[in-house]
Amino acid sequence: MMVYATPEKVLISREEIAEKVAETAAKLADEYRGKKPLVVCVLNGAAIFFADLIRGMDIPLEVSSVAATSYGDSTESSGEVRITKDIDVDIKGRHVLLVEDIIDSGRTMKALTERLKQYRPASLAVCAFADKPSRRVNDFKADYVCFEVPDRFVVGYGLDCAGLYRNLPDLRIIGDTQ
Ligand code: IMP
Ligand code: MG
């Protein structure tokens, strides 16, 4: 029988998440009104955040997705970023908003934004659900961040540990029991 122990330590509740995501979506809608942005989901981690975020933006927008990987099945970054799914629509002259789950070392966002900039968008901004600024190895800064989190491994609301826990509705810390 598979043992599936759900991490118990809730860092951010689903209510706090809903409130902050709605607030961020409203801010983004104001920022992008009249610009018909292309909102790009960084798969898989940002899928749940992305779905909530775009439904809170009451403006015309389009969606697309990209994917990158730097983590294997561990909680430590390999340091190398591989873009496993490039953008598949023409973003030249478009206002692009990249939506990410969490920024850790900053390597993934640096690699993805550098790639997207090569396609000459009119603007490129990054909105992250969570940010661990204390872990940064470069100077990457997101334009919008819902929550700054401490240097702990967090799961839920789309974020995984070795593929699991993405479906937890709140954000939890792995490894703590209370
Ligand atoms: P970075 O390239 O080091 O900034 O790593 C970013 C990626 O690592 C994110 O897209 C996440 O998939 C993953 N990641 C970093 N920290 C966590 C965490 O605490 N929980 C789950 N995934 C994480
Ligand atoms: Mg990820």
Side-chain angles (χ1 to χ4, degrees), residues 115-162:
R115 171 69 64 89
L116 293 181
K117 275 181 200 159
Q118 291 175 0
Y119 303 129
R120 314 240 309 272
S123 70
L124 176 63
V126 170
C127 175
F129 173 67
D131 190 7
K132 287 186 202 169
S134 63
R135 298 261 305 168
R136 209 68 100 245
V137 300
N138 56 30
D139 59 0
F140 186 82
K141 258 183 84 75
D143 303 272
Y144 305 87
V145 171
C146 289
F147 297 100
E148 277 197 8
V149 297
D151 181 9
R152 305 298 303 277
F153 206 80
V154 290
V155 296
Y157 199 65
L159 286 82
D160 75 308
C161 181

Side-chain angles (χ1 to χ4, degrees), residues 26-174:
K27 203 190 286 179
L28 288 168
D30 283 346
E31 184 67 35
Y32 285 97
R33 205 170 300 279
K35 295 182 174 169
K36 201 178 70 175
L38 181 71
V39 190
V40 178
C41 179
V42 183
L43 298 170
N44 294 314
I48 292 173
F49 173 47
F50 178 84
D52 284 343
L53 193 71
I54 60 170
R55 285 181 296 172
M57 295 173 66
D58 64 339
I59 56 166
L61 57 80
E62 292 180 352
V63 303
S64 190
S65 60
V66 293
T69 175
S70 66
Y71 281 78
D73 272 0
S74 77
T75 56
E76 270 304 309
S77 170
S78 66
E80 191 191 314
V81 178
R82 210 156 45 90
I83 295 172
T84 52
K85 179 190 182 297
D86 203 348
I87 192 88
D88 58 7
V89 294
D90 186 7
I91 63 168
K92 190 171 177 199
R94 298 290 308 266
H95 293 281
V96 176
L97 176 65
L98 194 57
V99 178
E100 171 66 315
D101 57 357
I102 186 165
I103 306 173
D104 186 49
S105 70
R107 290 186 186 106
T108 304
M109 277 302 99
K110 196 169 167 58
L112 275 173
T113 53
E114 278 175 4
R115 171 69 64 89
L116 293 181
K117 275 181 200 159
Q118 291 175 0
Y119 303 129
R120 314 240 309 272
S123 70
L124 176 63
V126 170
C127 175
F129 173 67
D131 190 7
K132 287 186 202 169
S134 63
R135 298 261 305 168
R136 209 68 100 245
V137 300
N138 56 30
D139 59 0
F140 186 82
K141 258 183 84 75
D143 303 272
Y144 305 87
V145 171
C146 289
F147 297 100
E148 277 197 8
V149 297
D151 181 9
R152 305 298 303 277
F153 206 80
V154 290
V155 296
Y157 199 65
L159 286 82
D160 75 308
C161 181
L164 291 176
Y165 309 122
R166 293 196 197 275
N167 53 326
L168 293 175
D170 39 30
L171 195 71
R172 299 186 183 211
I173 295 178
I174 278 273

